Amino acid sequence: MSGMNLEAARQTFIEEARERLQELEAGLLALEHDPQDGEWLNAVFRAAHTIKGSAGLFELDVIVGFTHRVETALDRLRSGEQAFTPALGALLLRAGDHIGLLLDAAVAAQEPDAALLQAGQALLDELARALGEAPPPVPAAAGTLPERVERSGGAALGPEFWHISVRFGREVLRNGMDPLSFIRYLGTLGRLLRVATVTDGLPALADFDAEACYLGFEIDLDSPVDRDTIAGAFEFVADDCTLHILPPRSLAAQYLELLRALPEDDLRIGELLVNSGCLSRVELEQGLRRQAEVQPSPPLGHILVDQHGVEPAVVDEALRRQGQVRERKAASARFLRVQAEHLDALIDQVGELVIAGAAVALLAQKHADTALEEAASTLSRLVAGIRDSALQLRMVPIGETFVRFQRIVRDVAHELGKEITLQISGEETELDKSVVEKIGDPLMHLVRNAIDHGIEPVETRLARGKPASGHLRLDAFHDSGSLVIEVGDDGGGLDRERIRAKAIANGLITADHELDARGLAELIFAPGLSTSDSVTQLSGRGVGMDVVRRNVESLRGSVEVHSTPGAGTVFRIRLPLTLAIIDGFLLGCSGSRFVVPLDSVVECVELDTAGAGVCPPYLNLRQHALPLVCLRELFGLPAGGGARRASVVVVQCGGRRAGIVVDELFGEFQTVIKPLGPLFAPLRAISGSTILGSGEVALIIDIAALVQLAAQRRPVLPSRSPA
Amino acid sequence: MIELHRNGQRLAIAGELTIYHAAEVHAALVPLYAETELDIDLSGVSEFDTSGVQVLLLAKREMAQAGHALRLSGHSQAVLDVFALLELGGLFGDPQLLPAGGAPA
């Protein structure tokens, strides 16, 4: 395998190992609630086992070694030798974290440093103590030895090593796997006594395909590991190879059965086994003679169990594993791993396609050729379809991000001596992957904040007549073209007096400044305002709510807070579904073009501007006052030539409405969002730009900011007064 | 990258003798089966995998069946490692000269 490919496989391994770690963590957390649940325990064990198995393939020995001990502990839990306790669960969680750190080191292609190794050893020691000083790992085979001796009735024992017989499937090489790497890995589990390459599978010259795999191997391995570990070495090709493993001291009869199960000529393989000392020549000859008499051959599994070579449990385990492989195969058929850059390139190209399509449509319109226009309209419909499907490719459910918080809430609550339950809903809600990646940190801050400052200590809660256990909820849902994430707690709510005092102390507001509840709440997003007096490990690290707001706004989103004294606080993050392309509504004002997201448009009404072009602050829309924003005034555009009809586009965001006063309406427009340069960063109410079919630039209006401006009647340009 | 240099009954293979180039090498070898004697120089082989082993095994078998001789020579470290792991030395029956650096693991 070339270096490139190995690196790619390694990346895939690390990604998958992280997923397994998440499963491990989720399982351990679930066990804390229900220690008897065997399903979860199995899931945790499988996760650890898979990490160990695949780490071995990449020769990440430290991970293999550490995970092996964790797996041993889990196995004791599984077998019921050891009961699951919260303390043990917490220890195992930390062990999982340690594996994560080891993976980090592996990502950087570094050997773990001494401190990390030491931490790992400390954890293992602790684990050993928690398990009541477990004896050093004993190979499973040795443990079952006396029993087997008895059963075999004193017959002569076979050789002292494992015999592994493997035939690789045709497609193994093409699937990027090299049988050599599996054998090399076996070499790390113990000593390879003998490797015999079975070449009988090589076809006639005419049928030979240089990229197919035809080889098989008969391997003798001297190793203290158990059968699972050896089988685990072949996990990556489990459904693409035929594997027989005979444990040490297997009887001659078992080797003979193996012979029968193999596709090659009995004599040839028999010779191999005789040569490696698994069978004596006499045994081989007798066996082959007898074999001819035995009809028909029962499944190999039965033979092995009948001869006590394998415990029935082992066979069950093998069957379960096969089922698992099948499941995984089904899952891999449903999902396809695609490199993120490929997707991004596709989206970029679709973006250009949308712009080019708009240019074609414009030209068609200009030429007033009906056939051309029709063709252009079909084209734009198809382009819209492609755009939607392309964007859909990048959509991922937010659940994965949410699940991580189970652990954080648990740990942080423990640390603070609080009892908190986390309720997650809307995890199936989808949003753009690039948004998901960037929303983790702000969410983390809000969650920690809620636990640290929001939810009161148990005594206070009881005194206030609340249940001792605090309640935190994470919720996600779609709302008019954007995604809303809510972080809510049932704590004490924001302490408005304290915020006010702090804000005055910091010079954010003057002492006589009156603010309504909403305005006060907004203050917590101001830089330099922390209401917490105590600097705990969790907060007071200089990262405040202002950073949360900035992060969210950099995603073209907004964050707001609703607080009820004594009853709790809800932070609501509103995010665009995608960062790339939207359905827009094109507007014109004084010759400039603007785009608003179509999803936010409620309706369009005509505005009667009898009063010489000055637009009124409010419009009476069906007996409701609608605040108006005149784009010409807002952006200081030159007055358009001549009196004309103005239109009001009614937009809605977060339950609030506003009217945008413009000169012209151009209708729907597929908008490829291009970010604005840093020069425009202080501009509020503009979130980006786009290129029209004609090559002109149109600005995209940030509806959330605009609605806010309409309510506050603030100018769009930053004020020059000292902040 | 793979390079094949033929010089009479001698073929030098240099580069990655792996799945990526196995088909190419195989295609180049098949016409050479007709030679009564062929010497393949492996000293330039930088990477060697199962598919490379198979191509050589097939060449050995086909030529042996026709009574022709195939010799491998100049085994590079990559080749030596694989030959040692899979115990292929006996199958090919060629002398393997160990490089001065020491024996393969």
Side-chain angles (χ1 to χ4, degrees), chain A residues 406-453:
Chain A
Q406 288 282 14
R407 171 77 188 279
I408 290 153
V409 168
R410 172 194 168 280
D411 285 359
V412 175
H414 258 271
E415 208 170 303
L416 296 171
K418 292 181 182 179
E419 263 178 58
I420 296 171
T421 55
L422 174 65
Q423 181 203 332
I424 290 177
S425 47
E427 56 265 69
E428 70 290 340
T429 316
E430 292 191 324
L431 80 167
D432 196 292
K433 185 161 170 50
S434 55
V435 181
V436 166
E437 282 162 2
K438 288 177 189 140
I439 200 62
D441 286 347
L443 268 185
M444 170 88 77
H445 194 81
L446 290 178
V447 166
R448 291 194 153 193
N449 227 37
I451 302 169
D452 201 10
H453 306 309

Side-chain angles (χ1 to χ4, degrees), chain A residues 398 429-431 476-478 481-485 573-577:
Chain A
I398 197 167
T429 316
E430 292 191 324
L431 80 167
F477 51 91
H478 284 160
S482 49
L483 175 100
V484 179
I485 303 174
I573 298 177
R574 191 171 278 277
L575 293 168
L577 283 183

Side-chain angles (χ1 to χ4, degrees), chain A residues 1 5 178 195 203 212 214, chain B residues 20 47 49-50 54 61 86-87:
Chain A
M1 237 186 296
N5 238 29
D178 186 355
V195 179
Y214 301 105
Chain B
Y20 298 103
E47 282 185 58
D49 74 357
T50 307
Q54 290 185 156
R61 189 190 72 189
L86 301 186
E87 301 181 15

Side-chain angles (χ1 to χ4, degrees), chain A residues 30-315:
Chain A
L31 279 171
E32 276 192 351
H33 291 286
D34 188 1
Q36 305 301 325
D37 196 323
E39 279 294 305
W40 282 115
L41 195 50
N42 279 332
V44 169
F45 181 82
R46 275 200 302 274
H49 182 71
T50 309
I51 293 172
K52 186 183 77 169
S54 31
L57 278 179
F58 294 94
E59 298 174 355
L60 298 168
D61 296 339
V62 180
I63 298 182
V64 176
F66 185 85
T67 314
H68 176 73
R69 298 281 295 274
V70 173
E71 192 188 329
T72 311
L74 289 169
D75 199 36
R76 283 167 61 99
L77 287 173
R78 216 160 56 137
S79 63
E81 280 173 63
Q82 181 78 35
F84 185 90
T85 61
L88 190 56
L91 189 56
L92 287 169
L93 278 174
R94 279 166 52 207
D97 292 346
H98 185 74
I99 297 174
L101 292 176
L102 293 175
L103 283 173
D104 288 343
V107 170
Q110 287 167 348
E111 284 295 310
D113 59 29
L116 199 56
L117 290 176
Q118 210 173 356
Q121 193 51 48
L123 269 173
L124 289 179
D125 292 347
E126 215 174 316
L127 198 57
R129 275 196 300 281
L131 294 172
E133 195 47 68
V138 179
T144 54
L145 177 59
E147 202 178 350
R148 206 177 318 133
V149 173
E150 186 187 327
R151 283 200 207 157
S152 64
L157 290 176
E160 292 285 319
F161 46 76
W162 293 89
H163 184 82
I164 300 147
S165 165
V166 58
R167 298 292 178 272
F168 287 97
R170 292 276 179 275
E171 294 303 313
V172 166
L173 287 168
R174 261 195 280 267
N175 290 344
M177 245 78 76
D178 186 355
L180 289 176
S181 57
F182 299 102
I183 298 172
R184 287 204 180 98
Y185 173 65
L186 278 183
T188 66
L189 296 177
R191 205 155 52 88
L192 284 173
L193 298 173
R194 198 157 179 212
V195 179
T197 305
V198 181
T199 60
D200 297 32
L202 279 174
L205 177 60
D207 299 328
F208 180 74
D209 172 357
E211 288 171 3
C213 183
Y214 301 105
L215 298 185
F217 301 93
E218 297 291 325
I219 301 161
D220 292 329
L221 176 73
D222 180 17
S223 168
V225 298
D226 59 13
R227 179 186 284 268
D228 273 0
T229 312
I230 293 178
F234 295 92
E235 190 154 351
F236 273 56
V237 281
D239 46 356
D240 214 1
C241 77
T242 316
L243 184 66
H244 299 289
I245 302 174
L246 291 181
R249 302 173 202 86
S250 286
L251 302 178
Q254 287 168 262
Y255 279 99
L256 289 170
E257 290 305 336
L258 170 67
L259 269 189
R260 189 193 294 177
L262 292 177
E264 289 88 6
D265 179 16
D266 286 344
L267 258 175
R268 243 191 62 69
I269 306 298
E271 284 297 319
L272 277 178
L273 294 178
V274 170
N275 287 345
S276 63
C278 299
L279 280 178
S280 72
R281 190 162 295 277
V282 180
E283 280 169 335
L284 174 66
E285 280 162 11
Q286 284 179 345
L288 288 179
R289 247 200 324 277
R290 211 176 320 127
Q291 193 168 298
E293 298 157 15
V294 182
Q295 302 278 338
S297 64
L300 187 69
H302 286 189
I303 297 168
L304 293 180
V305 174
D306 287 349
Q307 297 179 336
H308 314 296
V310 195
E311 303 294 318
V314 177
V315 174

Side-chain angles (χ1 to χ4, degrees), chain B residues 19-62:
Chain B
I19 176 82
Y20 298 103
H21 306 292
E24 195 184 323
V25 175
H26 175 63
L29 275 174
V30 171
L32 301 182
Y33 291 172
E35 300 285 336
T36 47
E37 275 187 34
L38 181 65
D39 191 332
I40 299 182
D41 177 6
L42 298 171
S43 60
V45 175
S46 59
E47 282 185 58
F48 192 48
D49 74 357
T50 307
S51 63
V53 172
Q54 290 185 156
V55 167
L56 295 183
L57 280 171
L58 193 78
K60 182 80 183 175
R61 189 190 72 189
E62 290 297 313

Side-chain angles (χ1 to χ4, degrees), chain A residues 557-576:
Chain A
S558 63
V559 55
E560 53 190 80
V561 56
H562 300 270
S563 172
T564 317
T569 312
V570 177
F571 286 92
R572 189 169 295 142
I573 298 177
R574 191 171 278 277
L575 293 168

